[in-house]
Amino acid sequence: MVITLEPGIGQHVVDEVCRIAARLDGVEPRIHRFEGATSTVTEVHLVGHTERIPPEVFEGIPGVRGVVRVSSTYRLIGRHGEGESVGFEYNGVRFGDDELLIFAGLCAVDTREHVDLMCKGLVEHGIVTTRMGAYKPRTSPYAFQGLGAECLPWVFEIAGKHGIKVISMEVTSPAQVQEIQIALRESGDATGVMLQIGTRNAQNFELLKEVGQQQEFPVLFKRGMGITLEESLNACEYIAASGNGRIAFCLRGVKSHLGEPHRNLVDFAHVPVLRRQTRLPVCIDPSHSVGRMFRDPDGVADVYHATGQGLISGASMVLVDFHPCRDKALCDGPQALTIPELPGYLAYARRVRAAWLDIREAAASA
Ligand code: PEP
Ligand code: MN
């Protein structure tokens, strides 16, 4: 059972809820605060035998906004009816329904020059968020595995020099979180990092607990490619249950030959499902969904169309592969857009986002 309090409510209401809960047998109250970019929501979760407790016991308390029985097991990331999505802030960047964030960048870091050209291009177009893979989980052990910890000092330095605020960077083992932390400190916190959990590690529970136990970095959780959405949501809950609530959920397509000729079957019809079921900002990765640079008869790339499909459905973040010289990319060059395409891509994304904002406003006033 989840008891949601009015935003900004005082501790006395929390105390009152807990006092009443203490009188009930076999029930333990747990207090959760969701510190968002714009407001803080407090919930008291009653764990245990709550089946027989009538909601009225708590509904009458001044300052209690609502009481819901929760059937989903992902209770921390879950939205619970009308509970709001408060978003979060990290290194001066706001994440949430009201912001559009484009994390465009290199699938895998290769050279300083490419990192420099990428960051420069982004900041020139008003983008301070990027993706830079240092640790690459590859299908073949003989494929390029990423430059690892060795590239972190110069990646952070170059990004910081250009004014990049957040780099989405995949981690595949707990030790890499520490490597990032150390390199970032040594760079004088030149930039910020969002820890990316790749689809292959969506159920790597030890890794999820590690990124959940640290409080410094937000986490971008990518859905598992071959498990149900429900299983991905439960896996994502591990991060929140371990103490870190700053999470964004990323759709990236699912594994199925039915998606061919695309790399994966694009699953962006799940954007509204995630917005309904969770309080997390929803990200889409059109690059790893589509996987190649196909174009429609008008010359518009399938990656654009997939981006549009996610944004028109309410996604507020996009993770997208760009490369200054895609023929030389060591990983996923064929799916990357190029720097000259950046302004056109951003204009496209912003137009679709504007259409979505209109749709949302019309729905709210209907
Ligand atoms: C990536 O974004 O670099 C990546 C490997 O994606 P995914 O985990 O979705 O395959
Ligand atoms: Mn890739």
Side-chain angles (χ1 to χ4, degrees):
M1 182 174 264
V2 172
I3 300 153
T4 307
L5 309 185
E6 299 287 356
I9 211 73
Q11 181 62 32
H12 63 284
V13 181
V14 179
D15 293 344
E16 176 66 359
V17 169
C18 291
R19 199 179 57 77
I20 294 174
R23 286 201 239 127
L24 304 165
D25 269 349
V27 171
E28 187 200 329
R30 292 188 191 160
I31 301 154
H32 296 286
R33 285 201 174 78
F34 302 93
E35 281 182 32
T38 48
S39 65
T40 297
V41 169
T42 306
E43 289 178 354
V44 181
H45 292 199
L46 298 188
V47 186
H49 298 292
T50 57
E51 318 77 31
R52 299 238 183 90
I53 303 171
E56 301 83 59
V57 171
F58 298 99
E59 273 168 355
I61 303 172
V64 168
R65 190 168 65 182
V67 181
V68 236
R69 274 187 207 287
V70 179
S71 53
S72 69
T73 44
Y74 44 92
R75 51 173 67 224
L76 292 175
I77 62 169
R79 185 184 273 263
H80 316 312
E82 292 183 6
E84 64 238 286
S85 166
V86 289
F88 58 86
E89 191 163 333
Y90 170 67
N91 206 26
V93 176
R94 280 186 173 192
F95 294 69
D97 261 0
D98 296 330
E99 327 291 330
L100 171 63
L101 297 177
I102 311 259
F103 285 78
L106 308 181
C107 178
V109 169
D110 42 28
T111 68
R112 288 168 201 243
E113 188 198 358
H114 291 154
V115 171
D116 192 65
L117 286 169
M118 191 68 240
C119 294
K120 182 167 174 283
L122 288 169
V123 174
E124 274 173 8
H125 291 96
I127 302 291
V128 293
T129 46
T130 187
R131 56 158 298 147
M132 295 278 164
Y135 308 97
K136 297 304 301 175
R138 303 304 299 277
T139 305
S140 162
Y142 307 115
F144 174 61
Q145 305 286 307
L147 296 178
E150 170 206 317
C151 72
L152 299 180
W154 49 267
V155 169
F156 295 156
E157 187 215 311
I158 295 169
K161 180 185 83 181
H162 288 290
I164 294 286
K165 295 282 177 208
V166 189
I167 302 173
S168 181
M169 183 173 275
E170 179 162 357
V171 285
T172 60
S173 80
Q176 294 162 359
V177 179
Q178 271 89 56
E179 288 176 0
I180 289 173
Q181 224 155 18
I182 291 165
L184 206 51
R185 256 343 65 77
E186 284 174 358
S187 79
D189 288 313
T191 182
V193 171
M194 174 169 66
L195 301 174
Q196 187 177 315
I197 299 296
T199 194
R200 291 160 189 80
N201 281 306
Q203 284 184 310
N204 180 340
F205 300 118
E206 295 312 311
L207 182 61
L208 297 173
K209 286 185 214 165
E210 177 75 17
V211 298
Q213 276 156 15
Q214 61 80 39
Q215 303 289 317
E216 180 177 353
F217 306 113
V219 180
L220 182 70
F221 174 89
K222 287 183 135 191
R223 84 172 294 174
M225 64 171 116
I227 56 176
T228 63
L229 189 61
E230 188 77 5
E231 287 164 334
S232 284
L233 289 167
N234 278 295
C236 185
E237 177 81 1
Y238 269 85
I239 304 168
S242 303
N244 189 355
R246 293 193 290 179
I247 310 166
F249 192 104
C250 184
L251 295 171
R252 47 80 71 205
V254 292
K255 192 129 200 104
S256 162
H257 294 303
L258 301 176
E260 284 171 9
H262 292 161
R263 180 170 173 178
N264 288 294
L265 185 65
V266 182
D267 56 347
F268 299 166
H270 279 164
V271 170
V273 178
L274 290 168
R275 292 190 62 241
R276 182 166 62 243
Q277 312 255 94
T278 80
R279 58 171 88 244
L280 309 180
V282 180
C283 182
I284 48 156
D285 178 345
S287 304
H288 288 81
S289 299
V290 168
R292 291 290 300 279
M293 206 41 67
F294 303 107
R295 290 180 194 275
D296 74 9
D298 307 306
V300 181
D302 291 15
V303 174
Y304 280 54
H305 287 292
T307 304
Q309 287 154 17
L311 291 177
I312 204 69
S313 311
S316 59
M317 297 168 65
V318 183
L319 187 73
V320 57
D321 286 6
F322 270 75
H323 199 285
C325 191
R326 47 185 268 190
D327 295 342
K328 290 196 184 152
L330 298 177
C331 183
D332 284 349
Q335 70 189 26
L337 292 160
T338 60
I339 300 218
E341 291 174 289
L342 184 62
Y345 180 80
L346 294 176
Y348 172 90
R350 287 168 180 152
R351 278 168 85 172
V352 181
R353 173 72 180 178
W356 150 249
L357 291 174
D358 284 350
I359 291 166
R360 182 167 79 161
E361 202 179 302
S365 55

